[in-house]
Amino acid sequence: MSLAAGTAHRSDWSPGSWRSFPAAQQPDWPDPDALEATIDELRRQPPLVFAGEAATLTEMLAEVAEGRGFLLHAGDCAESFDAFSADAIRDKLKVILQMAVVLVYSTSVPTVKLGRIAGQFAKPRSSPTEMRDGVELPSFRGDIVNDFAFEAAARQPDPSRMLQGYHQAAATLNLLRAFTKGGFAALSKVHSWNLEFVSSSPEGRRYEDLAHEIDRAVNFMAACGIVLDDELQLHQVDFYTSHEALLLGYEEALTRRDSLSGAWFDCSAHLLWIGDRTRQLDGAHVEFLSGVENPIAVKLGPSASADDVTALCERLNPGRQPGRLTLVSRMGASRVREQLPPLLQATRASRHPVVWACDPMHGNTFVHDSGFKTRRFDDIMEELRGFFDVCRQADVWPGGVHVELTGDNVTECLGGSLEVLDGDLERRYETMCDPRLNARQALDLAFGAAELLKD
Ligand code: PEP
Ligand code: CO
């Protein structure tokens, strides 16, 4: 594929053209000069990913769009500066590798592994301010903008945090590349990805059984004379990064022209997505991502209409390049069966070659009596079932799943096979934003998704 096969090269687009469009969900930066100085400094930093890698991801997603692959898109709701550690990155990667193995081994469908990681910092908020005990402060918008602590100074947006975010993303990506290319992700290590607190659970044991079967298959190949050392696919995995492209100054600064093709790539991650709150057709986020050549995604909540979907496809992928655009449905378990079919119909009728994926998390969040924001594992699975059902009825390939998870033994979502009960939420509720699946629940979901995909 040529790097410039997609949509860029519009004469009226530039990395900064979003600035003349209304941009939703931007922080109220107190000092515009300091903001621009930081953006200039970011412009001088090296790219985090290369154009060719992003273009390869587009090719892999094109396979998904055509029904020959599945997208596993998973990671944190919001990465944190404080909880940044090699162990946390490793454990998150372990869970994603486990989920991918479960999906591939159970279904024989190749799985594209895409992390919400190495740059997933900025958060859209339903309200610009937060009120506690009569005190009103700016909402927390992610560590790349302000500090979580409920204090006036902490909540002031600070552009220098964008540089810290960039450096943390670089270090995270560096470790991910080492893990995925340096032997840790080899199929011979499939047992070692089972985290201690997972291995004793029903799904941990189910995973162990599957890992033994993989060992036997690999040993069988060796006994047949296949030289396994020569098979790169057994020793390395392709792992891609992504985040919501929310802070447009940050994304603009990391957008670079590919020297081979002349096309613009946002080199802050392989794939960027537009959130449900920033997908306005005439808004700055759509304008910005319309001109970069990366694969992109758009989240679609219950307010999305069939016309919105068609218009977004036309605007973001006028060249109808397969793999360029992923649409992520996040309707909620009770709504997906009614809300999604007209949208599936819209992409079919307009012949837009999109990947359809399901985020079964964001439409199922509620505030528990204890005050914690949570999600029920059963609702998450119910939305996934609804997604697979309506895709099948519409003759659309159910192309992927998008989930928020962590490798830590947290108690943020209710349910799962070793149930997190109502009273458990306060035990290990660590997220800075949305409730995440713990590693057991994530593995449980992977087994469930594999069953649905196999059907
Ligand atoms: C998210 O993915 O964390 C998020 C805010 O999603 P959405 O835009 O779908 O609400
Ligand atoms: Co979230």
Side-chain angles (χ1 to χ4, degrees):
M1 188 187 83
S2 104
L3 283 184
T7 56
H9 304 307
R10 263 175 34 210
S11 58
D12 57 344
W13 186 92
S14 70
S17 60
W18 63 270
R19 290 170 182 261
S20 42
F21 292 75
Q25 295 283 343
Q26 299 304 288
D28 221 344
W29 301 107
D31 179 350
D33 292 339
L35 171 66
E36 290 308 320
T38 306
I39 292 173
D40 275 343
E41 196 167 342
L42 279 166
R43 266 193 199 104
R44 293 192 292 272
Q45 306 303 313
L48 294 176
V49 304
F50 300 115
E53 297 173 325
T56 303
L57 177 58
T58 301
E59 285 176 25
M60 295 176 71
L61 291 171
E63 290 293 301
V64 178
E66 282 156 18
R68 293 189 295 270
F70 191 73
L71 170 64
L72 173 61
H73 194 179
D76 232 312
C77 179
E79 289 175 277
S80 131
F81 287 177
D82 285 344
F84 176 48
S85 75
D87 288 358
I89 297 166
R90 181 200 58 205
D91 290 350
K92 224 178 285 177
L93 179 66
K94 279 184 176 180
V95 181
I96 298 173
L97 292 175
Q98 281 190 298
M99 293 177 80
V101 157
V102 166
L103 283 161
V104 176
Y105 194 79
S106 313
T107 67
S108 304
V109 177
T111 295
V112 180
K113 292 165 274 298
L114 177 61
R116 287 175 62 116
I117 198 166
Q120 174 49 28
F121 293 111
K123 298 311 298 175
R125 302 315 306 245
S126 41
S127 165
T129 59
E130 184 182 343
M131 185 75 105
R132 282 194 211 169
D133 302 327
V135 179
E136 190 177 20
L137 291 178
S139 291
F140 173 62
R141 289 186 179 273
D143 271 348
I144 198 165
V145 174
N146 55 2
D147 192 292
F148 190 63
F150 193 74
E151 288 155 22
R155 286 293 172 92
Q156 186 80 268
D158 172 1
S160 73
R161 288 178 161 264
M162 290 200 286
L163 278 164
Q164 193 177 342
Y166 166 85
H167 289 295
Q168 183 167 321
T172 303
L173 193 52
N174 183 52
L175 195 60
L176 288 170
R177 290 189 194 278
F179 278 142
T180 54
K181 302 295 177 190
F184 178 85
L187 259 194
S188 58
K189 296 277 183 352
V190 69
H191 293 276
S192 69
W193 306 335
N194 217 357
L195 291 156
E196 211 172 302
F197 78 94
V198 178
S199 54
S200 57
S201 68
E203 53 277 12
R205 288 196 295 272
R206 194 171 168 194
Y207 175 80
E208 206 47 45
D209 290 345
L210 185 147
H212 279 299
E213 286 181 39
I214 292 175
D215 282 344
R216 287 182 34 166
V218 171
N219 291 341
F220 171 74
M221 285 191 285
C224 292
I226 297 169
V227 184
L228 301 180
D229 285 348
D230 294 351
E231 302 297 326
L232 215 54
Q233 305 296 349
L234 297 180
H235 306 292
Q236 300 190 346
V237 299
D238 292 326
F239 186 86
Y240 295 93
T241 62
S242 69
H243 59 259
E244 177 171 353
L246 187 71
L247 288 188
L248 292 171
Y250 178 88
E251 303 302 335
E252 173 187 337
L254 288 166
T255 296
R256 311 291 162 83
R257 204 191 263 280
D258 175 53
S259 57
L260 293 175
S261 64
W264 291 99
F265 281 82
D266 181 346
C267 296
S268 69
H270 299 108
L271 177 143
L272 287 313
W273 80 82
I274 303 177
D276 190 44
R277 294 173 184 79
T278 50
R279 60 176 166 73
Q280 302 80 14
L281 269 175
D282 51 0
H285 294 83
V286 167
E287 166 64 14
F288 176 73
L289 283 189
S290 74
V292 297
E293 201 80 5
N294 307 60
I296 60 176
V298 183
K299 298 274 213 95
L300 299 169
S303 66
S305 69
D307 286 348
D308 292 340
V309 168
T310 313
L312 281 166
C313 289
E314 285 297 330
R315 183 83 206 285
L316 294 171
N317 191 17
R320 289 175 159 68
Q321 181 190 7
R324 153 75 173 168
L325 182 59
T326 295
L327 297 179
V328 185
S329 161
R330 33 86 85 222
M331 300 297 174
S334 62
R335 294 199 259 212
V336 60
R337 289 170 193 275
E338 287 86 63
Q339 304 279 111
L340 186 55
L343 312 192
L344 299 177
Q345 193 46 42
T347 54
R348 270 188 68 99
S350 57
R351 296 182 181 279
H352 269 283
V354 299
V355 170
W356 270 108
C358 175
D359 164 358
M361 313 291 292
H362 287 87
N364 296 309
T365 318
F366 67 97
V367 180
H368 185 261
D369 292 341
S370 58
F372 289 104
K373 202 154 74 150
T374 188
R375 295 158 172 159
R376 288 183 214 286
F377 186 79
D378 287 351
D379 292 342
I380 292 168
M381 287 313 299
E382 180 55 26
E383 178 156 3
L384 258 191
R385 268 191 296 277
F387 171 77
F388 275 84
D389 283 350
V390 297
C391 281
R392 294 246 152 80
Q393 281 152 17
D395 199 19
V396 165
W397 174 245
V401 58
H402 178 127
V403 290
E404 289 180 339
L405 56 75
T406 165
D408 299 330
N409 191 11
V410 299
T411 54
E412 298 171 6
C413 292
L414 294 167
S417 67
L418 284 183
E419 255 196 291
V420 174
L421 302 169
D422 293 47
D424 293 331
L425 286 178
E426 62 181 12
R427 277 202 300 120
R428 287 201 64 181
Y429 193 94
E430 296 172 7
T431 184
M432 290 194 309
C433 197
D434 290 336
R436 303 158 299 174
L437 299 172
N438 64 33
R440 277 194 304 265
Q441 292 167 326
L443 199 52
D444 212 352
L445 179 137
F447 279 114
E451 294 294 329
L452 292 166
L453 191 58
K454 239 182 348 191
D455 277 347

